[in-house]
Amino acid sequence: MASATEHPSILLVEDDQLDIMNVQRELRKHNVDVPLYIARNGREALNMLRGEGGQAPIPKPSVVMLDLNMPRMNGLELLSTLRSDPEFVGLNVFITTTSDLETDRLKAQDLAVSGYIIKPLSFDSFGEGGTTVDGFSLFLDLLRLKE
Protein backbone atom coordinates (compact mmCIF):
# COMPACT_ATOMS: atom_id res chain seq x y z
CA MET A 1 0.00 0.00 0.00
CA ALA A 2 1.36 3.45 -0.94
CA SER A 3 2.22 5.81 1.88
CA ALA A 4 0.68 9.25 2.24
CA THR A 5 3.91 10.91 1.16
CA GLU A 6 3.91 9.07 -2.19
CA HIS A 7 0.38 10.26 -2.99
CA PRO A 8 -0.30 13.41 -1.00
CA SER A 9 -3.90 14.29 -0.20
CA ILE A 10 -5.80 16.48 2.23
CA LEU A 11 -8.86 15.68 4.32
CA LEU A 12 -10.77 18.87 5.14
CA VAL A 13 -13.22 18.41 8.00
CA GLU A 14 -15.40 21.52 7.88
CA ASP A 15 -19.14 22.23 8.07
CA ASP A 16 -19.09 25.79 6.67
CA GLN A 17 -19.39 25.94 2.86
CA LEU A 18 -17.72 29.38 2.70
CA ASP A 19 -14.67 28.09 4.61
CA ILE A 20 -14.49 25.06 2.29
CA MET A 21 -14.48 27.38 -0.72
CA ASN A 22 -11.78 29.56 0.91
CA VAL A 23 -9.52 26.54 1.42
CA GLN A 24 -10.07 25.36 -2.16
CA ARG A 25 -9.27 28.83 -3.51
CA GLU A 26 -6.11 29.20 -1.40
CA LEU A 27 -4.83 25.75 -2.41
CA ARG A 28 -5.30 26.68 -6.08
CA LYS A 29 -3.60 30.04 -5.52
CA HIS A 30 -0.59 28.26 -4.02
CA ASN A 31 -0.52 25.66 -6.84
CA VAL A 32 -1.31 22.79 -4.50
CA ASP A 33 -2.92 20.24 -6.79
CA VAL A 34 -3.68 17.23 -4.62
CA PRO A 35 -6.90 15.36 -3.90
CA LEU A 36 -9.04 17.23 -1.35
CA TYR A 37 -11.53 15.07 0.52
CA ILE A 38 -14.27 16.93 2.39
CA ALA A 39 -16.18 15.74 5.46
CA ARG A 40 -18.88 17.89 7.07
CA ASN A 41 -18.28 16.66 10.64
CA GLY A 42 -16.08 14.35 12.69
CA ARG A 43 -18.39 11.36 12.32
CA GLU A 44 -18.35 11.68 8.51
CA ALA A 45 -14.54 12.03 8.58
CA LEU A 46 -14.20 8.80 10.59
CA ASN A 47 -16.51 6.99 8.15
CA MET A 48 -14.31 8.20 5.26
CA LEU A 49 -11.04 7.22 6.98
CA ARG A 50 -12.21 3.84 8.23
CA GLY A 51 -14.56 2.95 5.38
CA GLU A 52 -17.59 2.75 7.67
CA GLY A 53 -21.22 3.63 7.14
CA GLY A 54 -21.35 2.05 3.69
CA GLN A 55 -18.49 4.22 2.43
CA ALA A 56 -15.28 3.05 0.80
CA PRO A 57 -12.23 4.25 2.75
CA ILE A 58 -10.28 7.16 1.31
CA PRO A 59 -6.49 6.85 1.01
CA LYS A 60 -4.77 7.90 4.22
CA PRO A 61 -4.37 11.70 3.90
CA SER A 62 -1.05 13.52 4.27
CA VAL A 63 -2.81 16.05 6.42
CA VAL A 64 -6.15 16.71 8.05
CA MET A 65 -7.46 20.28 8.24
CA LEU A 66 -9.89 20.14 11.12
CA ASP A 67 -12.50 22.66 12.24
CA LEU A 68 -13.23 22.61 15.98
CA ASN A 69 -16.89 23.66 16.06
CA MET A 70 -19.03 21.18 14.15
CA PRO A 71 -22.25 19.20 14.73
CA ARG A 72 -22.41 15.49 15.61
CA MET A 73 -18.71 15.12 16.50
CA ASN A 74 -16.57 18.21 17.00
CA GLY A 75 -12.93 18.63 16.05
CA LEU A 76 -11.45 17.86 19.47
CA GLU A 77 -13.60 14.72 19.78
CA LEU A 78 -12.42 13.56 16.35
CA LEU A 79 -8.80 14.40 17.15
CA SER A 80 -9.00 12.45 20.41
CA THR A 81 -10.46 9.46 18.54
CA LEU A 82 -7.73 9.61 15.87
CA ARG A 83 -4.96 9.82 18.49
CA SER A 84 -6.29 6.67 20.20
CA ASP A 85 -6.46 4.71 16.91
CA PRO A 86 -3.14 2.98 16.04
CA GLU A 87 -3.81 3.42 12.31
CA PHE A 88 -4.32 7.19 12.54
CA VAL A 89 -2.31 8.22 15.61
CA GLY A 90 0.44 9.77 13.47
CA LEU A 91 -1.73 11.85 11.13
CA ASN A 92 -0.67 15.48 10.64
CA VAL A 93 -3.64 17.46 11.92
CA PHE A 94 -4.02 21.21 11.56
CA ILE A 95 -6.80 22.86 13.55
CA THR A 96 -8.68 25.59 11.66
CA THR A 97 -11.07 27.52 13.88
CA THR A 98 -12.60 30.88 14.69
CA SER A 99 -11.91 30.14 18.36
CA ASP A 100 -8.83 31.73 19.86
CA LEU A 101 -9.65 30.33 23.31
CA GLU A 102 -6.60 29.26 25.27
CA THR A 103 -8.49 26.17 26.53
CA ASP A 104 -9.08 24.98 22.93
CA ARG A 105 -5.43 25.64 22.08
CA LEU A 106 -4.19 23.69 25.10
CA LYS A 107 -6.52 20.74 24.41
CA ALA A 108 -5.32 20.67 20.79
CA GLN A 109 -1.66 20.80 21.91
CA ASP A 110 -2.29 17.93 24.34
CA LEU A 111 -3.56 15.95 21.35
CA ALA A 112 -0.38 16.67 19.34
CA VAL A 113 -1.70 18.92 16.57
CA SER A 114 0.74 19.95 13.83
CA GLY A 115 -0.56 23.52 13.70
CA TYR A 116 -3.35 25.86 14.78
CA ILE A 117 -4.78 28.26 12.18
CA ILE A 118 -7.29 30.95 13.17
CA LYS A 119 -10.03 31.62 10.61
CA PRO A 120 -10.90 33.41 8.43
CA LEU A 121 -8.41 31.69 6.16
CA SER A 122 -7.03 34.80 4.52
CA PHE A 123 -3.53 33.61 3.70
CA ASP A 124 -2.52 36.81 1.89
CA SER A 125 -3.21 39.37 4.61
CA PHE A 126 -0.18 39.88 6.80
CA GLY A 127 -1.95 42.35 9.10
CA GLU A 128 -4.43 40.90 11.56
CA GLY A 129 -4.16 37.39 10.13
CA GLY A 130 -0.36 37.11 10.13
CA THR A 131 -0.39 33.88 12.10
CA THR A 132 -2.75 32.42 9.52
CA VAL A 133 -0.28 33.09 6.72
CA ASP A 134 2.56 31.58 8.72
CA GLY A 135 0.43 28.59 9.69
CA PHE A 136 -0.59 27.89 6.12
CA SER A 137 2.97 28.27 4.81
CA LEU A 138 4.18 25.88 7.48
CA PHE A 139 1.36 23.53 6.54
CA LEU A 140 2.45 23.53 2.87
CA ASP A 141 6.17 23.25 3.66
CA LEU A 142 5.62 20.33 6.02
CA LEU A 143 3.76 18.44 3.34
CA ARG A 144 6.19 19.45 0.60
CA LEU A 145 3.16 19.97 -1.60
CA LYS A 146 4.51 23.19 -3.10
CA GLU A 147 5.89 22.88 -6.61
Side-chain angles (χ1 to χ4, degrees):
M1 187 160 114
S3 74
T5 52
E6 288 175 45
H7 300 288
S9 65
I10 299 169
L11 172 59
L12 174 60
V13 187
E14 172 62 68
D15 64 329
D16 185 305
Q17 184 60 37
L18 189 59
D19 287 332
I20 291 169
M21 289 166 35
N22 280 341
V23 169
Q24 291 170 324
R25 184 181 61 244
E26 293 302 326
L27 290 173
R28 276 193 307 273
K29 194 185 297 180
H30 290 276
N31 297 315
V32 178
D33 186 22
V34 299
L36 177 67
Y37 300 96
I38 298 168
R40 299 291 181 155
N41 59 58
R43 183 73 253 157
E44 192 176 310
L46 274 182
N47 287 349
M48 292 171 80
L49 288 166
R50 293 178 173 164
E52 297 173 347
Q55 216 168 312
I58 63 170
K60 192 182 221 174
S62 315
V63 75
V64 177
M65 293 180 73
L66 179 59
D67 183 28
L68 285 187
N69 302 311
M70 294 178 296
R72 293 194 70 202
M73 175 187 269
N74 72 37
L76 288 173
E77 291 168 333
L78 173 61
L79 185 55
S80 180
T81 302
L82 292 175
R83 292 301 184 233
S84 63
D85 184 324
E87 189 175 348
F88 302 112
V89 69
L91 277 181
N92 284 317
V93 177
F94 281 78
I95 299 292
T96 60
T97 184
T98 53
S99 169
D100 200 11
L101 292 175
E102 192 63 21
T103 52
D104 286 344
R105 209 178 267 274
L106 291 172
K107 281 183 207 161
Q109 285 174 351
D110 287 346
L111 292 167
V113 293
S114 301
Y116 201 90
I117 302 171
I118 303 297
K119 292 191 277 189
L121 300 176
S122 54
F123 305 124
D124 284 341
S125 72
F126 283 90
E128 297 297 307
T131 55
T132 316
V133 174
D134 296 342
F136 192 68
S137 294
L138 171 66
F139 159 77
L140 294 176
D141 290 341
L142 275 177
L143 295 176
R144 295 185 177 87
L145 297 179
K146 283 184 168 175
E147 296 294 318

